[in-house]
Amino acid sequence: MTNVVRHALQRMRSIIGPRFSLVEVEDDFPAIMRKRTLYVLAEDGQVWAAAMTCPCGCKAILHLNLLADQRPCWHLNLRDGGSLMPSVWRKDHCGAHFWFREGRVHWTADQRNTLWRDLQLRLGR
C-alpha cells in the first residue's frame, strides 16, 4: 500500500470514526451501557476501572482494569476524550483489536473491514 493510499485511508477513518463520550461514574457501571461511551469508575477522585461496549458491534461489555498492581492493566489518559494504553484485544469471541486514542477507536492492522466497522459504529449499529 502506498503512503498516499495509507494517508487517504487514515483521513477517511478520522472522519468516519465517531468520537466516544467519556462518562465518569462513582458507584458502579450502569446496567445498560450506551454505545460509543467509555465509562470510567472513580472513587474519591481515583480512577480504577473502565468499561465500554465492544466497538465491533458484538454487544459484549469490555471491562478494563486501571489499577497498576493488578494484571492485565491499562493506563487511562483523560485528556482529549480519553486514551488507553496498551491496545484492547479480545483474543476470544469477536477478536476485536484496537487502540483507543483521543476518544476514538483505531483498529489495528490485523483487523478486517475496519472502514465498514467504523461506519456501523457511527450509525449506532
Side-chain angles (χ1 to χ4, degrees), residues 54 56-62 89-97 107 111 117:
C54 187
C56 83
C58 73
K59 299 181 183 175
I61 303 297
L62 307 179
W89 187 6
R90 292 195 72 207
K91 293 184 180 182
D92 56 357
H93 303 290
C94 69
H97 189 194
W107 298 101
Q111 298 293 289
R117 287 182 180 189

Side-chain angles (χ1 to χ4, degrees), residues 34-54:
R34 293 181 300 181
K35 294 179 182 179
R36 295 187 349 222
T37 302
L38 178 66
Y39 293 91
V40 178
L41 194 56
E43 188 173 310
D44 297 325
Q46 177 68 33
V47 296
W48 61 277
M52 65 192 304
T53 59
C54 187

Side-chain angles (χ1 to χ4, degrees), residues 21-25 29 38-42 45-52 64-68 73-86 88 100-103:
S21 299
L22 186 62
V23 176
E24 190 172 313
V25 293
F29 295 116
L38 178 66
Y39 293 91
V40 178
L41 194 56
Q46 177 68 33
V47 296
W48 61 277
M52 65 192 304
L64 306 164
N65 169 50
L66 302 177
L67 298 173
C73 173
W74 285 263
H75 171 74
L76 175 66
N77 181 340
L78 292 171
R79 290 184 310 182
D80 299 323
S83 296
L84 291 166
M85 184 76 160
V88 178
F100 190 80
R101 295 281 183 256
E102 296 179 352

Side-chain angles (χ1 to χ4, degrees), residues 12-21 33-38 52-60 62 94 96-108 111-125:
M12 186 177 291
R13 282 192 185 105
S14 70
I15 294 168
I16 293 175
R19 251 191 193 289
F20 278 56
S21 299
M33 292 191 177
R34 293 181 300 181
K35 294 179 182 179
R36 295 187 349 222
T37 302
L38 178 66
M52 65 192 304
T53 59
C54 187
C56 83
C58 73
K59 299 181 183 175
L62 307 179
C94 69
H97 189 194
F98 60 92
W99 291 95
F100 190 80
R101 295 281 183 256
E102 296 179 352
R104 295 181 192 270
V105 168
H106 300 271
W107 298 101
T108 59
Q111 298 293 289
R112 297 178 190 267
N113 303 320
T114 57
L115 285 174
W116 177 249
R117 287 182 180 189
D118 286 343
L119 184 58
Q120 293 293 329
L121 190 57
R122 175 167 286 290
L123 296 174
R125 297 181 183 165

